[in-house]
């Protein structure tokens, strides 16, 4: 199994799970993104994001069949990416200018399949990653928090439809912060500056309506819970089936300790998504 | 003429223009929002946002017929607003929880008309406020900047449709920052942290598709140009007819000096809006 690894803890978790299942693992560490030292215990190579040919060659020479893309990848500008001929050809197809924040990943996924690899979702390997519907911990959201969560989900979905961020912070109906490229934790920290009097807000994470679930679903982890608590939020609402929790047991335990709720919400467009 | 004044320079400009036109002016300064000392040269009263009855009484006792709402107003939480009975009655009608960021203004506008006042838009008094279509200064956007501007406009309109912020910063197709409640200048400053290599980005401001043009259209001023320059942006794109420039001549002159373009763009939903 090949793992194309971005930042955060997810890639190493996947590698460990695959190894435990008796599979051979090869890791392509994306330069400037992959930052988990645990990845070095597997055969690996470090490649920059723009070096598409090198990524494909490395995975082929290590006889990867399944490929999973995992971890945080921030799309660089065209000039920072320094695409090789292979990546340039790929980018020419869609036009770099028109590319939304997720367009690049989708493109990579399609290209991998065209090259004969089988694209696998992280949630197919770590089955507890996907967020189920309902309250996940011991803390339950009250009526205001639930209303904030639902409003936030609608806002995040709208954002996602424009291929931008997938998160926001809502307090008493007010959207305190919207996530673009800065990442969830940064956005949560910022939201504390705009906090209003009264009961605290809710962090909401969604996926984009058009998102391929095998590609980099939005994920939260322990840090997210810690930051949410520090910023005075009362809980986290996640799109059920469209987001991931890394280390669910630890995350829920910590949320319980800190008095934060964690809830999986069905999407507003649940019926449309049925069967995806 | 009554002016319900929020923050920034616009309310005092309106007062001056009305006075020059020979009209009597009465100013309701919103506590914690109105911050221009020039307003004190007009008959005025300071009232907190939640004191709806006091605002209506003051305007009636000063025989205001036309009322204009102008300046930055950040919607407080319900508890911070401390609504009086009149405001509470108003809020009960719609349900505070369901209120978007602009819903409050819309509500105030409707109520003023119901009470017999004539609601007037700031752009009807200061006719050079409204942004026309086309390049406004001497600097022209290049192809990439124009593409970023159009992408940003689509994103900002999508945001606006969800009754959230109306601004974003786009660089080479990447949305670096989205505006929620923090205000345009804060968002522009933040975007500098996420700047990518290569040519700089564009600040885009739009109004919401459903926005009543008599109520608080998004505005930029000199500070916006200064902040955009400091953050490495190459220009500002504004929805033509849906945004305002305060002190247009000074703003354009400064943008020219700093090498920033300022452009008015027709909305993607121009046809739909026709006649509004």
């Amino acid at each position: 199994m090949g793992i194309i690894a971005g930042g955060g803890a997810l890639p190493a978790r996947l590698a460990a799970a695959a190894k435990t299942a008796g599979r051979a693992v090869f890791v392509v560490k994306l330069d400037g993104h992959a930052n988990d030292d645990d990845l070095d215990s597997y055969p690996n190579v470090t490649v920059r994001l723009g070096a598409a040919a090198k990524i494909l060659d490395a995975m082929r020479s290590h006889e990867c069949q399944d490929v999973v893309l995992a971890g945080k990848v921030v799309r660089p500008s065209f000039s920072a990416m320094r695409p090789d001929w292979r990546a340039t050809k790929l980018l020419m197809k869609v036009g770099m200018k028109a590319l939304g924040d997720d367009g690049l990943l989708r493109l990579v996924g399609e290209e991998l399949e065209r090259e004969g690899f089988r694209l696998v979702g992280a949630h197919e390997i770590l089955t507890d990653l996907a967020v189920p519907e309902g309250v996940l911990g011991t803390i339950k959201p009250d009526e205001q928090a639930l209303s904030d969560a639902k409003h936030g989900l609608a806002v995040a979905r709208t954002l996602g439809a424009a291929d931008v961020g997938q998160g926001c912070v809502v307090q008493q109906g007010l959207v305190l912060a919207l996530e673009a490229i800065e990442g969830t934790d940064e956005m949560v920290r910022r939201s504390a500056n705009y906090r209003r009097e009264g009961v605290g807000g809710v962090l909401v994470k969604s996926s984009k309506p058009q998102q391929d679930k095998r590609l980099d679903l939005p994920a939260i982890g322990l840090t997210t819970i810690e930051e949410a608590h520090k910023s005075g939020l009362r809980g986290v609402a996640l799109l059920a089936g469209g987001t991931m929790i890394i280390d669910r047991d630890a995350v829920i335990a910590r949320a319980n300790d800190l008095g934060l709720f964690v809830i999986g919400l069905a999407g507003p467009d649940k019926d449309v998504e049925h069967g995806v």
Side-chain angles (χ1 to χ4, degrees), chain A:
Chain A
M1 189 177 79
I3 298 176
I4 302 184
L10 184 56
R13 299 294 155 81
L14 288 171
K19 198 182 165 187
T20 305
R23 303 187 65 174
V25 171
F26 175 69
V27 181
V28 173
K29 291 166 65 179
L30 292 175
D31 197 17
H33 289 91
N35 54 5
D36 191 333
D37 291 341
D38 289 351
L39 289 173
D40 292 327
S41 54
Y42 305 91
N44 70 80
V45 62
T46 300
V47 178
R48 62 166 218 281
L49 189 52
K54 208 170 160 188
I55 295 176
L56 292 171
D57 287 350
M59 286 197 305
R60 202 167 285 123
S61 69
H62 284 80
E63 294 172 349
C64 301
Q65 287 159 353
D66 294 357
V67 174
V68 56
L69 282 92
K72 203 173 141 75
V73 175
V74 177
R75 202 196 102 194
S77 67
F78 189 74
S79 33
M81 196 191 296
R82 294 187 291 126
D84 64 8
W85 65 269
R86 196 78 183 72
T88 304
K89 212 175 113 191
L90 210 56
L91 290 170
M92 296 289 273
K93 267 191 208 163
V94 287
M96 184 73 182
K97 277 190 202 110
L99 214 54
D101 302 355
D102 263 9
L104 187 68
L105 271 184
R106 231 171 5 246
L107 203 64
V108 170
E110 284 165 19
E111 193 63 13
L112 285 168
E113 300 220 294
R114 206 171 295 120
E115 292 285 330
F117 297 101
R118 197 172 75 95
L119 192 61
V120 176
H123 60 288
E124 296 172 53
I125 296 160
L126 288 170
T127 44
D128 73 333
L129 278 175
V131 173
E133 217 175 311
V135 176
L136 302 186
T138 53
I139 321 285
K140 285 188 174 59
D142 62 18
E143 202 200 333
Q144 175 71 61
L146 207 53
S147 157
D148 284 348
K150 284 177 183 167
H151 181 49
L153 191 60
V155 169
R157 286 297 262 189
T158 306
L159 268 183
D163 204 3
V164 200
Q166 307 127 316
C168 59
V169 173
V170 182
Q171 184 195 15
Q172 299 174 46
L174 276 181
V175 180
L176 298 188
L178 292 167
E179 182 178 348
I181 211 169
E182 68 274 34
T184 306
D185 294 348
E186 265 301 310
M187 177 195 57
V188 167
R189 273 193 288 273
R190 176 172 88 238
S191 75
N193 302 332
Y194 308 105
R195 204 192 146 165
R196 296 292 181 271
E197 278 180 32
V199 292
V202 178
L203 165 65
V204 183
K205 290 286 295 178
S206 169
S207 57
K208 304 177 181 178
Q210 72 282 17
Q211 196 153 351
D212 182 335
K213 289 201 188 345
R214 294 170 305 171
L215 294 173
D216 192 43
L217 283 184
I220 70 150
L222 262 183
T223 345
T224 321
I225 298 293
E226 300 285 350
E227 292 294 341
H229 175 65
K230 276 189 222 154
S231 297
L233 303 187
R234 298 196 292 156
V236 179
L238 304 163
L239 177 68
T243 53
M244 306 189 295
I245 302 178
I246 300 170
D247 261 339
R248 193 200 293 181
D249 292 346
V251 164
I252 300 301
R254 187 70 184 133
N256 289 342
D257 284 351
L258 293 171
L260 269 69
F261 65 83
V262 179
I263 187 172
L265 289 179
D269 38 14
K270 199 188 176 187
D271 291 333
V272 179
E273 279 204 325
H274 210 266
V276 170

